[in-house]
């Protein structure tokens, strides 16, 4: 159990009625993350991720680990610095040049801070290979920081110079095998976004500078998005917007919706294996170039995009699965009548019981008892904790009853005794487990 007074959360308090002029804040997710003490800018496009946001990212990473391990993916870590020579061999140094952050060591050897690792993976298999076709396929993934010299960083974590990213690479002996893995990874991606309960659309996209034969973007509708989707109200088909405004599936009109790209998947073919000589030994004993696929999710971008999509201008709303804490318990104001009858020891007891009934290590206590319940309730709602439990006037009843607020729903609280409260929270957790189990059965 954690206490809110001990959390490093440098909240920015704006006086009521004050007019704030800050042209650098360009969207609500950036504003909320900054004002709620979740991130701190260090310079243009660079941010310190503070403890509560780091906790949300860790939860997201755990969901991703689980979904990828289920499809047989193996985790590895590649260096952030990649030899510039590899990018020259693949031909991408010229294509993406201005976006690359380049460095040189004391011996004059040139490197770059990698925005992605296709060349590094191809070089790895060139170095250890050639492998036998019998050993393939492999799915390898990592989660780490990537770097891009954005011309104009904006929207906070949505477009920054340093960002956390999942990048997954699949290695195959044939295009058919690569396409089959692409389908498997597509289902894994769908499960990740289902776990977050986010309306992410998978749309066909050009392969662009990455190359390859097939590409899909994963787009989350949001007002601040720089991409545009064409959504058909008639057949629900969704695609990247074009000039026709006509649905390619049913021929009817479409609505334009702003969106944020949170993931991208590719069938790369031999685009990187051929120039970097990453081969395998085929069944006929000949050396053949590996077929590759790659799959990315912007971790920090997805955190920000989900807030952008779900939140109001004044309050954060998280996907429940990645809220920094699932529940917060607010006790009475110190010195009040409620405090004398339901003091801090009883507040701690409530929090412990909630932890023991399905919220293990996921409950925080607002122990700032000098503040009124109303003030702390307002701040908890602004932070978007899914469940807010208040020990107020009803806690003096026999038996004591507690107010349960759900930030995502708003409105009046439920007034519950401890058994009803625990049963309600347990039911919510059980529903989550049942959904996950059902998805696992379907996946199998």
């Amino acid at each position: 159990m954690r206490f809110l007074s001990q959390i490093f959360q440098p909240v920015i308090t704006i006086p009521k009625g004050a007019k704030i002029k800050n042209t650098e804040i360009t969207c609500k997710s950036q504003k909320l993350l900054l004002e709620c003490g979740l991130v701190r800018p260090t310079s243009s496009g660079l941010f310190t991720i503070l403890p509560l946001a780091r906790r949300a990212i860790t939860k997201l990473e755990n969901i991703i680990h689980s979904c990828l391990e289920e499809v047989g993916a193996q985790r590895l870590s590649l260096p952030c610095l990649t030899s510039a020579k590899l990018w020259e061999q693949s031909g991408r140094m010229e294509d993406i040049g201005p976006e690359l952050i380049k460095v040189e060591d004391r011996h004059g050897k040139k490197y770059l801070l990698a925005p992605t690792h296709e060349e590094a993976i191809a070089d790895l298999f060139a170095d250890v290979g050639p492998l036998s076709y019998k050993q393939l396929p492999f799915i390898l993934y990592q989660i780490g920081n990537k770097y891009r010299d954005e011309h104009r960083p904006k929207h906070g974590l949505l477009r920054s110079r340093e960002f956390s990213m999942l990048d997954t690479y699949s290695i195959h002996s044939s295009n058919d095998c690569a396409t089959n893995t692409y389908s498997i990874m597509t289902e894994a991606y769908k499960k990740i976004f289902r776990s977050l309960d986010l309306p992410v659309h998978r749309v066909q996209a050009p392969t662009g500078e990455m190359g390859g034969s097939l590409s899909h973007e994963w787009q989350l509708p949001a007002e601040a998005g720089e991409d545009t989707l064409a959504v058909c109200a008639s057949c629900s088909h969704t695609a990247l917007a074009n000039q026709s405004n006509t649905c390619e599936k049913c021929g009817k009109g479409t609505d334009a919706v702003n969106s944020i790209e949170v993931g991208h998947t590719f069938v790369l073919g031999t685009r990187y294996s051929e120039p970097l000589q990453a081969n395998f030994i085929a069944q006929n004993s000949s050396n053949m170039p590996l077929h590759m696929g790659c799959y990315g999710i912007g971790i920090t971008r997805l955190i920000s995009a989900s807030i952008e999509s779900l939140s109001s201008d004044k309050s954060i709303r998280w996907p429940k699965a990645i809220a920094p804490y699932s529940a917060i318990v607010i006790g009475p104001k110190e010195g009040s009548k409620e405090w004398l009858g339901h003091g801090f020891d009883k507040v701690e007891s409530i929090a412990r019981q909630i932890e023991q009934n399905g919220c293990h290590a996921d409950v925080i206590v607002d122990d700032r008892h000098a503040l009124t319940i109303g003030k702390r309730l307002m701040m908890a709602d602004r932070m978007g904790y899914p469940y807010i439990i208040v020990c107020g006037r009803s806690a003096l009843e026999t038996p004591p009853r507690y107010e349960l607020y759900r930030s995502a729903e708003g409105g009046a609280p439920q007034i519950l005794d401890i058994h009803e409260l625990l049963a309600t929270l347990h039911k919510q957790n059980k529903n989550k487990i049942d959904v996950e189990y059902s998805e696992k059965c379907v996946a199998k």
Side-chain angles (χ1 to χ4, degrees), residues 154-174:
K154 61 178 180 176
H155 296 343
L157 298 182
L158 290 179
R159 186 171 289 281
S160 56
R161 286 194 167 104
E162 180 180 27
F163 49 94
S164 178
M165 183 174 162
L166 159 76
D167 48 327
T168 306
Y169 303 94
S170 58
I171 309 298
H172 312 273
S173 60
S174 68

Side-chain angles (χ1 to χ4, degrees), residues 216-262:
H216 287 88
E217 292 178 6
W218 299 74
Q219 294 274 353
L220 176 62
E223 189 178 337
E226 296 181 320
D227 295 323
T228 307
L229 296 177
V231 181
C232 179
S234 178
C235 70
S236 299
H237 180 72
T238 306
L240 290 176
N242 55 40
Q243 294 181 345
S244 70
N245 297 322
T246 302
C247 178
E248 59 188 49
K249 192 172 181 181
C250 69
K252 296 187 177 179
T254 60
D255 297 320
V257 177
N258 287 359
S259 62
I260 299 167
E261 181 189 334
V262 294

